[in-house]
Amino acid sequence: MAAAKKAAVGPLVGAVVQGTNSTRFLVFRAKTAELLGHHQVELTQEFPKEGWVEQDPKEILQSVYECIARTCEKLDQENIDISNIKAIGISNQRETTVIWDRLTGEPLYNAVVWLDLRTQSTVEILSRKIPGNNNFVKSKTGLPLSTYFSAVKLRWMLDNVRKVQKAVEEGRALFGTIDSWLIWSMTGGVNGGVHGTDVTNASRTMLFNIHSLEWDKELCNFFEIPIHILPNVWSCSEIYGLMKGGALEGVPISGCLGDQSAALVGQMCFQEGQAKNTYGTGCFLLCNTGQKCIFSEHGLLTTVAYKLGKDKPVYYALEGSVAIAGAVIRWLKDNLGIIKTSKEIESLAKEAGTSYGCYFVPAFSGLYAPYWEPSARGIICGLTQFTNKCHIAFAALEAVCFQTREILEAMNRDCGILFHHLQVDGNMTSNRILMQLQADILHIPVIRSSLPETTALGAAMAAGAAEGVGVWSFKPEDLSAITMERIEPQIQATESEIRYSTWKKAVMKTMGWVSTRAPENGELAIFSSMPLGFFIVSSLIIFIGARYISGMP
């Protein structure tokens, strides 16, 4: 029996989307952006201590290989010839930090995830080294000194992990964000793997000068990080290397963007003033500011949006980062057990129809933009005996929308743009209750793409358009497979304002729950020099005094 003839579909482009909770591989038709096949693998997260978040780099890498293999199998079953895949793009969770051994290919420690808070004392110590009138870290990087970014995670590893220290001393250590780890491994690893990153991921390390587009020696000296362990920096769209092994051996990896930049490209936000919001583990609103850096005075980040080719100009963005969006739904499922699957939250929220005065601020990792307040912790308030799990589910969805409004208002104050609508993407946009709430709370229309996977699309576009590949056009009319849905506000602006002002009151109650100040050396010296007897006697005096004041015998 003759083999079935393979379907003629023209050039295809694959995209790896390596996120915090899962890895996906998607294959698009280059001429239309039609999604032809995909596969997804869920990932585990480890929480060794309170505030610590880690992942296994080898599990992440294996999930990429599995997604590619399964997607190729599915395409083959559809009689689609995988030899039509002409390029692969990568988008990734940003800031997550990996160090590995270039001789063995083995990670020297778990990946420290962007949400991780262990570096708060490191941040406090470093912040005291920055002159008050010359915040050179922010002026060079566009970023506040925060646990969020890679440099402090790397500094923590260098201070606390002996295997890392030894590998650096012996010249065996390589540092990278997840994109670097994947590209090095997929292009050969110990057998000639390419060690690099792109400008968007580099701009999230706090070691990269976003003006010169180079690793900055002053920043490396400040964080005491050896510059030789850092990857080479590329544009977002060029051939970095070829796949080694597997079904796609020999296919060029030619696109790389941090996930939020990839979504900006996938949403075709190429004009100054265009903005998009991605609803994933966190929530990230980016506004294209063109070829100029705008430094925020309202708690936003200045970051590299994209650079689509070696000789192409760099574009910048203002970004508002919310740590907890989809992660709050996972928390309701895994920690409280009020839902069994993430999709159930929509039916619970629909059943309630309102939060009934319940407000939820999911500051599990402190508050990111616009507050940058690491001492904040999550709070659910406004509870009554009537409150049930449906109201809490509704309040959790509202929390995502309120946080987005805070970002949008800060962005408006920074760049003077009055937004008439908001383009949205990400897995959470399939939740119709959430999308309607977002339109109501912003009181502007929300524009939802028929393809929620715009992050993957952006990575595919960059890969397919790279010099030497040239199968993708950035013209909007060529994206014929993508349609848009417009969701209009359905409540009065006054009601939206009342709900939002009550939310702001709840946010204020989250502040200052934990002490983040690292003790001064002098304080440590005083306490360490005091004899144990002093503490015992002091404790007895306090105890006896308290009993006397209270009238106890």
Side-chain angles (χ1 to χ4, degrees), residues 424 429-432 435 446-450 483-485 487:
V424 299
T429 60
S430 62
N431 186 320
R432 295 198 66 85
M435 292 295 95
V446 165
I447 310 295
R448 177 172 63 179
S449 169
S450 62
T483 57
M484 299 291 180
E485 178 186 5
I487 300 159

Side-chain angles (χ1 to χ4, degrees), residues 6-62:
K6 298 291 184 182
V9 292
L12 310 177
V13 179
V16 172
V17 179
Q18 203 302 294
T20 317
N21 293 317
S22 69
T23 298
R24 303 183 293 286
F25 183 68
L26 304 92
V27 174
F28 296 92
R29 199 173 188 169
K31 298 297 183 187
T32 63
E34 177 188 358
L35 178 60
L36 296 181
H38 71 282
H39 189 78
Q40 177 170 330
V41 171
E42 297 294 320
L43 294 170
T44 55
Q45 293 178 31
E46 299 175 27
F47 306 95
K49 296 182 182 179
E50 184 181 359
W52 292 30
V53 190
E54 297 180 0
Q55 289 181 305
D56 180 353
K58 292 172 77 173
E59 181 193 356
I60 289 172
L61 178 61
Q62 186 53 44

Side-chain angles (χ1 to χ4, degrees), residues 169-224:
E169 289 163 7
E170 296 174 0
R172 295 181 285 110
L174 295 178
F175 154 80
T177 42
I178 292 296
D179 57 304
S180 297
W181 163 243
L182 294 180
I183 292 172
W184 184 83
S185 301
M186 294 163 71
T187 56
V190 295
N191 298 310
V194 178
H195 186 214
T197 188
D198 84 294
V199 290
T200 66
N201 279 297
S203 75
R204 311 297 292 195
T205 61
M206 260 191 327
L207 300 170
F208 187 71
N209 189 314
I210 61 173
H211 310 287
S212 66
L213 303 184
E214 294 175 331
W215 299 122
D216 190 284
K217 288 182 181 178
E218 185 182 12
L219 291 170
C220 288
N221 290 338
F222 175 72
F223 289 103
E224 297 180 59

Side-chain angles (χ1 to χ4, degrees), residues 39 46 51 57 59 137 146 197 208 211 214 236 246 273 277 283 350 390 417 425 441 458 499-500 519 526 530 536:
H39 189 78
E46 299 175 27
E59 181 193 356
V137 174
S146 165
T197 188
F208 187 71
H211 310 287
E214 294 175 331
C236 307
N277 199 29
C283 209
K350 187 175 182 180
C390 297
I417 297 170
D425 60 80
I441 288 166
R499 283 157 66 175
Y500 181 55
I526 290 168
M530 288 179 177
I536 295 170

Side-chain angles (χ1 to χ4, degrees), residues 43-233:
L43 294 170
T44 55
Q45 293 178 31
E46 299 175 27
F47 306 95
K49 296 182 182 179
E50 184 181 359
W52 292 30
V53 190
E54 297 180 0
Q55 289 181 305
D56 180 353
K58 292 172 77 173
E59 181 193 356
I60 289 172
L61 178 61
Q62 186 53 44
S63 72
V64 171
Y65 287 139
E66 182 180 343
C67 286
I68 290 173
R70 297 290 86 80
T71 303
C72 288
E73 286 174 9
K74 291 176 183 179
L75 293 175
D76 192 58
Q77 290 165 8
E78 296 289 328
N79 286 327
I80 295 171
D81 191 345
I82 61 171
S83 68
N84 285 318
I85 298 176
K86 303 302 181 185
I88 296 168
I90 291 176
S91 84
N92 57 284
Q93 54 170 311
R94 301 171 302 169
E95 299 93 21
T96 297
T97 301
V98 187
I99 301 185
W100 67 95
D101 189 319
R102 66 180 179 82
L103 300 181
T104 66
E106 291 293 311
L108 296 165
Y109 191 76
N110 269 348
V112 179
V113 177
W114 57 277
L115 282 165
D116 190 279
L117 291 176
R118 77 186 67 187
T119 55
Q120 187 52 48
S121 61
T122 307
V123 169
E124 293 292 334
I125 292 164
L126 288 168
S127 66
R128 292 199 287 269
K129 291 170 59 179
I130 298 176
N133 60 350
N134 178 25
N135 189 343
F136 66 93
V137 174
K138 187 169 183 180
S139 65
K140 287 172 179 278
T141 68
L143 311 174
L145 195 56
S146 165
T147 59
Y148 185 13
F149 306 108
S150 307
V152 290
K153 302 178 195 301
L154 179 52
R155 182 67 258 152
W156 184 92
M157 289 188 196
L158 291 168
D159 289 338
N160 293 279
V161 183
R162 181 57 193 147
K163 281 175 70 176
V164 170
Q165 295 165 355
K166 195 166 186 292
V168 170
E169 289 163 7
E170 296 174 0
R172 295 181 285 110
L174 295 178
F175 154 80
T177 42
I178 292 296
D179 57 304
S180 297
W181 163 243
L182 294 180
I183 292 172
W184 184 83
S185 301
M186 294 163 71
T187 56
V190 295
N191 298 310
V194 178
H195 186 214
T197 188
D198 84 294
V199 290
T200 66
N201 279 297
S203 75
R204 311 297 292 195
T205 61
M206 260 191 327
L207 300 170
F208 187 71
N209 189 314
I210 61 173
H211 310 287
S212 66
L213 303 184
E214 294 175 331
W215 299 122
D216 190 284
K217 288 182 181 178
E218 185 182 12
L219 291 170
C220 288
N221 290 338
F222 175 72
F223 289 103
E224 297 180 59
I225 288 169
I227 203 165
H228 67 266
I229 71 172
L230 306 182
N232 295 314
V233 183

